[in-house]
Amino acid sequence: MTELRIEGTHSRAKGLLSRVNLGQYIIYLAFAVTFILFAVALDDRGFLTSGNLMNILRQSAIVGVIAVGMTFVIADAEIDLSVGSVAGLVSVVTAMAISHWGILAGIVAGLMVGMLIGLVNGSLVAFVKIPSFLVTLAMMGIAFGLAQWVTDSAPQPILKQGYNMAFGSGDIGPVPGLVIWFLIIAGCGAFVLKKTRFGRHVISVGANPTASIYTGISVVRTKFLVMLISSVVAALGGMLYAGRLQSGRYQWGQGDEMNAIAAVILGGTALAGGRGSVLGTVFGALFMGLINNGLILAGLSSPQQQVVRGIIIILAVALGSKK
Amino acid sequence: MTVSGCTEPALIRMSGICKSFNGVQVLNDAGFEVRAGEIHALAGGNGAGKSTLMKILQGVYQKDAGTIEIQGRPAQLNTYADARRQGIGMVFQEFSLVPSLTVAQNIYLNDEPRSAMLIRDAEMISGAREILGRMQVDLDPRAELASLSTAYWQLTEIAKALRGEARVLIMDEPTASLARKEADRLFELLRNLREQGIGIIYISHRMEEIYEIADRITILRNGSNLLTKQISEITQEEIVRGIAGKAVALTAAGSSGQCGDVLLKATGVSAQRKLHDVSFEVHAGEVIGVAGLMGSGRTELLEALFGINLTTRGSIVLDGQPMSPRSPRDAIAAGVVLIPEDRRRQGLILKHSVQENLVLPDLSAVLRGGLLSAAAERDRAVQLIGSYGIRGAGPNLPVEVLSGGNQQKVVIGKWLGVGPRLLLMDEPTAGVDIGTKSEIVKQVREFARNGGAVLVVSSEYQELIAMSDRYLIMRGGSIIRSLPADAVRDETTLEMWVQGVEQ
């Protein structure tokens, strides 16, 4: 009708304006500004030493890995709250399998658990069409409970140093192995999201499932796969916890889902789906690590850190959503 | 009681109404009135200005010029709430109801009787019961809406519009989603409300309904009044001619006469939604116009061929190969594509770029070594932008900033780019400017000339006639007639076929 046509021309001018959108890039700016701020203010406390900088990388790495998987889920307009507990469960399963059957069995068992949970999450979300929020909220409790149950709440030490070295405790030259893992996963993630048909389908389904169906894209398959990817990547995160801390424990990864979601959103992926950047997520995770590190160096107590960190995140997101 | 003389002032009188949007004149000196106890039909073709005029009456749009009088007194309607207070109620086409609330809660939504901030449920329920009683409708106000059928949703919608002191009721295509029997009951209700002195503005495309229910009719064309008459003084032909109109000349296609072999043959096809035992053939090089009223099964026919409305019976043979698409993927693989009805929701990903939208249906075309190549994507997008004359945007602009016409060209480019055999189009010229319309018509003709086959659904008859070699007339989910091009001389004859007027 006539009105529709008018609306079209009307929104053209508005659309062009809103196109200059800081949201996707705010994270790089925020990272740079915060980094410089800390570098100046905390210089005398050793912020810029290579040891400290490596520390930031190392401390961001596991949440960063998990956040890469989360980027796919959120870009597809879903959510995965179970990643932290999946990491915890996988850490204990891997540790127990290693002590019984050896390293290879541990790795396989850890990945299998991740895959199994991913299959359940993915099937319930994609085929049964239960909201992912509910499915993964329930799975969060199930995985956490299982991990505590099978271990009787006891830590499961990993004595095979080969595993520990490969999964997070070792270094390659000056670079921590954890950071290498982070780079590999982030590289793969960025590649898949940007360069494959599947990645394009994820973004399309997240932006407009109806148009995607009418374009011949299988929404069900896409949703299933993102949930699967997220769990498997979270399982890898759990194995890295196990290697880095040389043990499996049900608390590993607790609360990581929120940090991962924050990293993804800070990185410019739309919470409502349809837009996603793995590179942004990497910087989102680094930004959170940077803040933690700086606030510790500044001598803030743990409760103070939490408050200040919260304020900084709100500021960053608020700036990003400003047109 | 049909209308007597003009002794009492009209309930509503709008006169000299002008309205333009961004310099485009939509209403020019339009007028309309409705009296107490009258059902006044408002008709006109697409873009005639009916909706705009009614939105002004509801306080949604502000008029640029003209006057509105309510019972003889000039009124200022700046907001929807103003109109409500003046006794103007609207029955929305797409129901404005909340399914999880009860009938009573919906009727009183945002106007709940309260004491000290708390909603008085009992009063609300008895109020709802009173309104429903006035409508002589047997409906429990405590029933949750989600548990009721569409017909009851509409009754609730009407009750909501009548709440307070509504004296005028605006109804926009109220029978579109109703079965015949439900429509009969609705008419009974409208007559009943008329008896109670309520003025009803009845917007409809369906001539037979207008005949059945209305006392007077006003036809708008191009934003001005064409005529206002008593129903008893106007012929069916006059109404049809008035609705069909004639604005800009597009030449009729006529039969191109160069039809090839049968490309698509459907035999006895029924589908899950609204399609019963449909049989037809489409030849290569042929454009078939599918015409019917809203709800006649036009869209459902196209969606059955595209694997969205799953077929339950019958056979479809495309190019000698039997096909029964279970999803759009199947259909696309078989060489069938659909330009969907709702461009913004089904056709495009509005927030994504022109380029991303254009390459999406066939990403394999832009793979280099198995990976998406930005350069190949760009080349393909630029090529499609050129071939389909998409203007006003580079490949990287989000498609939402394009005009309606250019958005539609993106949808067309997106699909013709995959090289289909059968092109399905649902309202391809809706909401696009006149220049784009003729370009679309040309593109469709060209696609057919190159051996493709086209099924096009349109309620814009001018465009339909300009494209089609043959017509299928649909009603109630079936094809009731197949017509050659020369049986449809102009929009009026097509409208008569669609309305079922024998000729």
Side-chain angles (χ1 to χ4, degrees):
Chain A
M1 298 229 65
T2 323
E3 293 86 87
L4 215 77
R5 182 158 75 233
I6 306 312
E7 198 185 304
T9 44
H10 190 67
S11 66
R12 181 187 305 194
K14 256 206 237 156
L16 279 170
L17 280 180
S18 68
R19 187 58 188 162
V20 189
N21 186 349
L22 274 174
Q24 283 152 278
Y25 307 107
I26 189 72
I27 187 59
Y28 307 109
L29 189 67
F31 183 85
V33 169
T34 312
F35 189 89
I36 293 167
L37 212 69
F38 283 170
V40 173
L42 302 171
D43 190 32
D44 52 338
R45 311 214 181 170
F47 176 78
L48 277 178
T49 60
S50 66
N52 187 55
L53 295 182
M54 278 305 160
N55 239 343
I56 295 176
L57 283 173
R58 195 184 291 126
Q59 282 162 358
S60 318
I62 298 183
V63 166
V65 166
I66 295 174
V68 169
M70 186 74 80
T71 307
F72 283 81
V73 177
I74 294 181
D76 204 25
E78 298 293 344
I79 198 83
D80 188 348
L81 299 175
S82 67
V83 287
S85 343
V86 169
L89 176 61
V90 167
S91 79
V92 306
V93 168
T94 302
M96 291 166 88
I98 287 174
S99 64
H100 280 96
W101 301 297
I103 293 178
L104 190 64
I107 295 171
V108 171
L111 288 176
M112 290 295 283
V113 168
M115 214 178 289
L116 196 70
I117 292 176
L119 286 173
V120 173
N121 283 349
S123 303
L124 291 174
V125 170
F127 301 115
V128 190
K129 304 201 190 313
I130 305 175
S132 53
F133 186 92
L134 293 177
V135 169
T136 59
L137 183 66
M139 189 54 81
M140 175 165 96
I142 293 172
F144 188 76
L146 276 178
Q148 201 172 355
W149 190 1
V150 295
T151 58
D152 228 353
S153 304
Q156 307 291 313
I158 299 176
L159 303 172
K160 306 262 192 209
Q161 283 312 305
Y163 177 87
N164 292 334
M165 286 304 129
F167 284 86
S169 285
D171 296 321
I172 296 180
V175 187
L178 269 184
V179 175
I180 307 279
W181 276 108
F182 184 24
L183 287 178
I184 292 172
I185 296 299
C188 291
F191 194 72
V192 170
L193 192 59
K194 253 206 142 56
K195 285 290 178 186
T196 65
R197 298 171 71 174
F198 168 70
R200 190 60 59 83
H201 288 177
V202 168
I203 301 277
S204 302
V205 169
N208 184 343
T210 309
S212 298
I213 291 172
Y214 275 79
T215 308
I217 295 168
S218 170
V219 171
V220 169
R221 175 173 167 270
T222 313
K223 298 246 177 214
F224 176 78
L225 285 176
V226 294
M227 299 311 291
L228 180 62
I229 287 172
S230 175
S231 282
V232 171
V233 173
L236 179 64
M239 290 157 70
L240 292 174
Y241 271 120
R244 164 119 177 91
L245 302 165
Q246 314 207 344
S247 64
R249 202 161 182 191
Y250 70 92
Q251 295 106 320
W252 298 164
Q254 203 180 351
D256 276 6
E257 58 280 347
M258 288 307 157
N259 290 325
I261 292 169
V264 171
I265 303 305
L266 281 169
T269 295
L271 188 52
R275 182 154 50 79
S277 159
V278 172
L279 185 65
T281 297
V282 168
F283 273 85
L286 290 177
F287 179 67
M288 308 253 294
L290 179 71
I291 294 173
N292 286 341
N293 180 273
L295 297 183
I296 292 170
L297 288 188
L300 267 61
S301 68
S302 167
Q304 290 169 333
Q305 285 172 37
Q306 293 195 33
V307 172
V308 176
R309 188 175 55 187
I311 293 172
I312 293 177
I313 291 175
I314 291 174
L315 277 178
V317 175
L319 280 175
S321 62
K322 230 183 163 135
K323 301 279 155 68
Chain B
M1 56 165 258
T2 35
V3 190
S4 45
C6 298
T7 45
E8 52 182 318
L11 258 181
I12 304 270
R13 173 173 285 126
M14 306 174 79
S15 52
I17 306 286
C18 296
K19 177 73 186 172
S20 56
F21 294 94
N22 293 8
V24 180
Q25 188 98 17
V26 179
L27 288 175
N28 184 15
D29 192 23
F32 186 77
E33 64 161 39
V34 61
R35 301 176 192 142
E38 173 191 45
I39 298 177
H40 194 147
L42 180 59
N46 285 316
K50 305 184 299 271
S51 319
T52 310
L53 189 64
M54 286 303 111
K55 282 187 176 144
I56 288 171
L57 186 55
Q58 289 162 62
V60 176
Y61 294 154
Q62 309 312 311
K63 57 187 171 9
D64 297 340
T67 56
I68 302 176
E69 287 172 31
I70 297 177
Q71 288 185 312
R73 280 194 300 276
Q76 197 62 39
L77 304 173
N78 291 324
T79 62
Y80 180 66
D82 280 354
R84 268 319 292 231
R85 264 195 300 280
Q86 300 277 359
I88 297 166
M90 170 79 191
V91 179
F92 289 91
Q93 198 170 6
E94 57 276 26
F95 306 122
S96 68
L97 303 171
V98 183
S100 57
L101 297 181
T102 65
V103 171
Q105 284 166 342
N106 268 294
I107 292 175
Y108 282 95
L109 193 58
N110 199 29
D111 190 23
E112 292 86 355
R114 284 175 304 178
S115 51
M117 309 273 296
L118 298 177
I119 294 174
R120 290 204 302 264
D121 278 308
E123 187 171 323
M124 202 165 73
I125 290 167
S126 67
R129 198 166 275 142
E130 188 267 324
I131 297 171
L132 292 167
R134 248 194 297 152
M135 292 165 57
Q136 299 180 353
V137 168
D138 183 24
L139 175 59
D140 182 0
R142 288 164 304 185
E144 190 183 295
L145 204 69
S147 66
L148 302 171
S149 73
T150 328
Y152 284 110
W153 285 49
Q154 185 167 48
L155 293 173
T156 307
E157 181 77 51
I158 294 172
K160 186 176 166 186
L162 286 173
R163 183 197 67 218
E165 292 299 302
R167 287 165 299 184
V168 175
L169 208 53
I170 307 171
M171 306 192 84
D172 191 358
E173 294 275 358
T175 56
S177 52
L178 297 184
R180 181 68 229 178
K181 247 178 82 186
E182 295 166 342
D184 286 342
R185 274 205 295 272
L186 175 69
F187 290 158
E188 212 173 297
L189 168 60
L190 295 188
R191 290 192 190 99
N192 177 9
L193 292 173
R194 175 172 63 189
E195 297 295 320
Q196 296 171 23
I198 288 174
I200 296 171
I201 303 174
Y202 191 91
I203 304 174
S204 179
H205 282 104
R206 295 175 197 229
M207 197 197 50
E208 56 185 58
E209 270 177 16
I210 292 176
Y211 249 88
E212 182 171 348
I213 190 76
D215 303 310
R216 273 200 297 172
I217 181 168
T218 292
I219 299 179
L220 294 183
R221 174 167 319 158
N222 298 333
S224 306
N225 292 52
L226 185 69
L227 58 84
T228 298
K229 280 191 175 177
Q230 299 290 331
I231 283 292
S232 51
E233 292 165 4
I234 190 169
T235 64
Q236 296 198 347
E237 298 216 20
E238 242 178 307
I239 298 179
V240 169
R241 222 181 292 281
I243 294 173
K246 214 177 203 60
V248 183
L250 280 166
T251 49
S255 183
S256 55
Q258 48 174 356
C259 287
D261 301 332
V262 173
L263 189 79
L264 178 82
K265 186 177 168 67
T267 318
V269 173
S270 299
Q272 286 174 340
R273 277 183 293 118
K274 220 178 205 171
L275 203 60
H276 314 293
D277 194 20
V278 167
S279 303
F280 61 94
E281 286 180 356
V282 190
H283 297 258
E286 192 179 32
V287 181
I288 302 229
V290 180
L293 293 169
M294 202 192 292
S296 60
R298 311 172 298 188
T299 297
E300 288 78 5
L301 170 64
L302 298 192
E303 291 193 339
L305 296 171
F306 194 57
I308 289 173
N309 185 14
L310 298 185
T311 54
T312 51
R313 237 183 306 163
S315 81
I316 303 172
V317 178
L318 182 73
D319 217 3
Q321 299 287 320
M323 76 166 207
S324 59
R326 308 319 282 171
S327 72
R329 278 161 85 92
D330 294 351
I332 294 163
V336 179
V337 302
L338 170 69
I339 313 268
E341 184 176 17
D342 187 340
R343 171 170 68 230
R344 299 167 64 84
R345 201 172 64 87
Q346 303 164 329
L348 293 169
I349 296 173
L350 286 175
K351 292 204 176 311
H352 287 184
S353 69
V354 172
Q355 172 173 323
E356 282 170 298
N357 274 284
L358 281 172
V359 303
L360 193 59
D362 189 11
L363 287 172
S364 60
V366 292
L367 294 180
R368 296 291 176 268
L371 299 172
L372 296 176
S373 151
E377 276 188 52
R378 199 182 163 81
D379 287 351
R380 185 171 161 82
V382 167
Q383 179 227 323
L384 290 172
I385 287 172
S387 316
Y388 297 99
I390 300 161
R391 279 181 289 273
N396 289 322
L397 270 186
V399 76
E400 66 185 342
V401 309
L402 269 59
S403 68
N406 279 301
Q407 286 183 359
Q408 187 68 339
K409 287 186 198 166
V410 173
V411 183
I412 291 174
K414 158 181 169 177
W415 284 119
L416 289 189
V418 309
R421 305 294 317 277
L422 173 65
L423 172 63
L424 310 171
M425 306 178 101
D426 199 349
E427 301 286 359
T429 54
V432 308
D433 54 283
I434 191 76
T436 304
K437 280 181 183 175
S438 58
E439 278 178 72
I440 291 173
V441 169
K442 229 184 291 168
Q443 282 162 358
V444 169
R445 296 297 324 168
E446 176 152 335
F447 174 76
R449 205 166 28 249
N450 295 330
V454 185
L455 272 178
V456 50
V457 164
S458 181
S459 40
E460 305 193 346
Y461 293 154
Q462 226 180 358
E463 285 74 23
L464 199 61
I465 290 170
M467 282 186 262
S468 306
D469 300 312
R470 204 149 56 81
Y471 300 88
L472 299 175
I473 309 294
M474 294 196 71
R475 172 167 293 210
S478 305
I479 293 174
I480 54 163
R481 253 206 179 83
S482 168
L483 299 169
D486 55 16
V488 177
R489 294 183 305 278
D490 51 23
E491 291 105 282
T492 311
T493 47
L494 184 53
E495 180 77 26
M496 297 220 194
W497 286 116
V498 166
Q499 300 274 7
V501 179
E502 287 306 323
Q503 43 188 319

